[in-house]
């Protein structure tokens, strides 16, 4: 039977896990509330009048006043914020689009699938490519392949993502004709084919930092005492590399990926504009140009929610790989 000391230890570990999860959820909620508040006030500081966007440049002052009243823009800012928060918590929406008149949530949901698919493909490409390059570099330390791979992050880190996208379009779409210049094709095959180049562009921005981090961690683990002991025991190098070295090296890189999630999502929205993809990115830029406050707030809120959820999942995976990291991210 389990003695009292073991029982207390189990209870303590369970309480610690619940406490860590509650703290992580509270932290996530605070981040979302801060983003929601900041976006609401910041977009109203930017010059531009939604009423003028609707009525046109030469609208009369009376028409402008009536439109302000219809949109609720004549209310004090604090009252607009309370109305926004009430709509968010009662309807799960940030309001109706000022320009299109439909629910901001519906507009975002219509555009979300292509953006989520692009993020997923880019993430998979970035992780697989970074993994392969880091393994090759670490297992060929100070050789030609290692030097070539180490030069790659140094060159590419300073490249703007939109500039990379334009170069890829000029090379693979205009000159070689391998991919469409822009838009999304029909069917799964057409969709994947048209998203390949944008996904490579987004992944390109994440690969350098992931390769650098994973290579450094792998070299450190490869030189550790337990790896020397495993080699002395006659365990094959492939088993040591993939079963022991990668597992112990993945945690810092995984945490780095969690930090870069916001840059990944932001880069995806920019790349959508470059490639003419009708996703959330194009909706965001159109809404900003027309001062469509509810849609801008909705996109910012859902992006923040996505970043928080993914970061929380990565934090849980990191704790599963190494329980000592609980609460340290």
């Amino acid at each position: 039977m389990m003695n009292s000391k073991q029982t207390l230890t189990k209870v303590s570990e369970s309480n610690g896990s619940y406490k860590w999860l509650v703290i992580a959820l509270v932290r996530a909620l605070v981040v979302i509330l801060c983003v929601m508040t900041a976006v609401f006030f910041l977009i109203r500081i930017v010059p531009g009048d939604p009423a003028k966007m609707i009525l046109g440049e030469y609208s009369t002052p009376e028409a402008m006043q009536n439109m302000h009243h219809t949109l609720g823009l004549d209310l004090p800012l604090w009252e607009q914020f309370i109305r926004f928060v009430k709509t968010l918590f009662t309807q799960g929406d940030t309001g109706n689009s000022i320009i299109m008149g439909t629910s901001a949530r519906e507009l975002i949901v219509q555009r979300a699938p292509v953006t989520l698919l692009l993020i997923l493909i880019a993430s998979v490409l970035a992780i697989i490519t970074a993994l392969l390059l880091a393994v090759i570099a670490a297992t060929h330390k100070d050789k030609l392949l290692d030097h070539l791979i180490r030069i790659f992050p140094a060159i590419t880190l300073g490249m703007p993502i939109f500039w990379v996208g334009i170069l890829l379009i000029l090379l693979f779409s205009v000159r070689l004709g391998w991919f469409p210049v822009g838009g999304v094709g029909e069917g799964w095959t057409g969709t994947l084919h048209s998203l390949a180049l944008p996904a490579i562009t987004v992944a390109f921005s994440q690969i350098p930092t992931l390769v650098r981090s994973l290579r450094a961690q792998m070299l450190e683990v490869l030189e550790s005492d337990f790896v020397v002991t495993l080699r002395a025991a006659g365990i094959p190098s492939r088993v040591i590399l993939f079963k022991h070295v990668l597992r112990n090296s993945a945690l810092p890189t995984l945490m780095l990926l969690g930090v870069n999630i916001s840059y990944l999502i932001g880069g995806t929205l920019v790349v959508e504009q470059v490639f003419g993809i009708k996703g959330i990115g194009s909706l965001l830029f159109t809404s900003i140009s027309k001062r469509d406050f509810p849609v801008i707030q909705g996109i910012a809120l859902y992006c923040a929610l996505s970043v928080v959820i993914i970061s929380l999942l990565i934090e849980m995976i990191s704790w599963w790989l190494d329980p000592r990291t609980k609460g340290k991210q």
Side-chain angles (χ1 to χ4, degrees), residues 1-45:
M1 294 180 62
M2 185 180 297
N3 58 38
S4 58
K5 185 176 181 180
Q6 290 175 323
T7 304
L8 289 174
T9 302
K10 290 289 184 180
V11 171
S12 178
E13 290 178 355
S14 178
N15 290 337
S17 298
Y18 285 125
K19 182 179 179 181
W20 168 79
L21 182 60
V22 169
I23 292 174
L25 291 174
V26 171
R27 188 169 65 238
L29 180 61
V30 170
V31 170
I32 293 173
L33 291 175
C34 289
V35 170
M36 179 182 69
T37 304
V39 170
F40 177 87
F41 288 102
L42 286 176
I43 61 175
R44 283 162 174 77
I45 298 176

Side-chain angles (χ1 to χ4, degrees), residues 88-106:
L88 180 62
F89 283 98
T90 57
Q91 302 177 15
D93 199 358
T94 53
N96 290 332
S97 168
I98 293 175
I99 305 300
M100 302 181 185
T102 57
S103 168
R105 181 181 57 200
E106 291 181 5

Side-chain angles (χ1 to χ4, degrees), residues 251-313:
L251 183 57
T253 304
L254 187 63
M255 295 170 63
L256 177 63
L257 180 63
V259 173
N260 287 349
I261 287 297
S262 57
Y263 297 103
L264 179 68
I265 294 176
T268 302
L269 300 185
V270 173
V271 167
E272 285 184 355
Q273 280 292 99
V274 175
F275 287 88
I277 297 173
K278 298 297 183 181
I280 293 178
S282 61
L283 179 63
L284 175 62
F285 282 96
T286 301
S287 301
I288 291 175
S289 65
K290 295 182 178 180
R291 303 299 185 269
D292 199 341
F293 296 155
V295 178
I296 299 172
Q297 291 164 176
I299 293 174
L301 181 62
Y302 286 120
C303 286
L305 186 61
S306 301
V307 170
V308 167
I309 291 174
I310 296 173
S311 299
L312 186 60
L313 290 175

Side-chain angles (χ1 to χ4, degrees), residues 113-114 117-118 120-121 184-196:
V114 65
L117 182 59
L118 178 56
L120 178 62
I121 298 173
V184 179
E186 296 182 358
W188 274 105
T189 303
T191 300
L192 294 176
H193 183 237
S194 59
L195 291 182

Side-chain angles (χ1 to χ4, degrees), residues 39-305:
V39 170
F40 177 87
F41 288 102
L42 286 176
I43 61 175
R44 283 162 174 77
I45 298 176
V46 178
D49 190 344
K52 186 175 290 186
M53 295 290 178
I54 298 173
L55 298 175
E57 189 71 27
Y58 302 102
S59 55
T60 63
E62 293 79 9
M64 289 284 292
Q65 186 176 359
N66 292 333
M67 183 58 66
H68 281 154
H69 179 72
T70 302
L71 299 176
L73 299 177
D74 57 341
L75 299 174
L77 201 56
W78 63 268
E79 193 170 341
Q80 293 183 42
F81 181 70
I82 292 175
R83 179 180 291 187
F84 162 69
V85 173
K86 183 179 179 180
T87 303
L88 180 62
F89 283 98
T90 57
Q91 302 177 15
D93 199 358
T94 53
N96 290 332
S97 168
I98 293 175
I99 305 300
M100 302 181 185
T102 57
S103 168
R105 181 181 57 200
E106 291 181 5
L107 292 174
I108 295 170
V109 169
Q110 290 173 4
R111 302 288 191 98
V114 65
T115 300
L116 293 176
L117 182 59
L118 178 56
I119 292 173
L120 178 62
I121 298 173
S123 300
V124 172
L125 284 176
I127 292 171
I128 293 176
T129 305
L131 181 62
L132 291 174
L133 293 178
V135 169
I136 294 172
T139 54
H140 296 77
K141 182 183 177 183
D142 296 331
K143 295 181 181 179
L144 178 60
L145 284 175
D146 183 30
H147 289 304
L148 291 176
I149 293 173
R150 290 169 64 185
I151 290 173
F152 173 70
I155 296 175
T156 56
L157 274 175
M159 293 183 180
I161 190 170
F162 66 87
W163 185 71
V164 173
I166 293 172
L167 289 181
L168 293 179
I169 289 173
L170 292 175
L171 176 60
F172 293 104
S173 299
V174 177
R175 184 174 292 273
L176 298 177
W178 292 356
F179 299 98
V181 175
V184 179
E186 296 182 358
W188 274 105
T189 303
T191 300
L192 294 176
H193 183 237
S194 59
L195 291 182
L197 209 57
I200 293 172
T201 306
V202 177
F204 194 84
S205 65
Q206 301 298 314
I207 291 172
T209 53
L210 296 179
V211 170
R212 179 180 292 179
S213 172
L214 187 55
R215 175 190 175 275
Q217 294 299 322
M218 288 185 66
L219 288 176
E220 184 177 344
V221 176
L222 283 169
E223 296 172 358
S224 61
D225 294 336
F226 86 93
V227 173
V228 175
T229 303
L230 292 174
R231 286 173 176 166
I235 298 177
S237 299
R238 183 175 298 179
V239 175
I240 295 174
L241 179 64
F242 290 101
K243 187 176 181 180
H244 300 281
V245 175
L246 275 179
R247 181 183 176 90
N248 287 276
S249 305
L251 183 57
T253 304
L254 187 63
M255 295 170 63
L256 177 63
L257 180 63
V259 173
N260 287 349
I261 287 297
S262 57
Y263 297 103
L264 179 68
I265 294 176
T268 302
L269 300 185
V270 173
V271 167
E272 285 184 355
Q273 280 292 99
V274 175
F275 287 88
I277 297 173
K278 298 297 183 181
I280 293 178
S282 61
L283 179 63
L284 175 62
F285 282 96
T286 301
S287 301
I288 291 175
S289 65
K290 295 182 178 180
R291 303 299 185 269
D292 199 341
F293 296 155
V295 178
I296 299 172
Q297 291 164 176
I299 293 174
L301 181 62
Y302 286 120
C303 286
L305 186 61

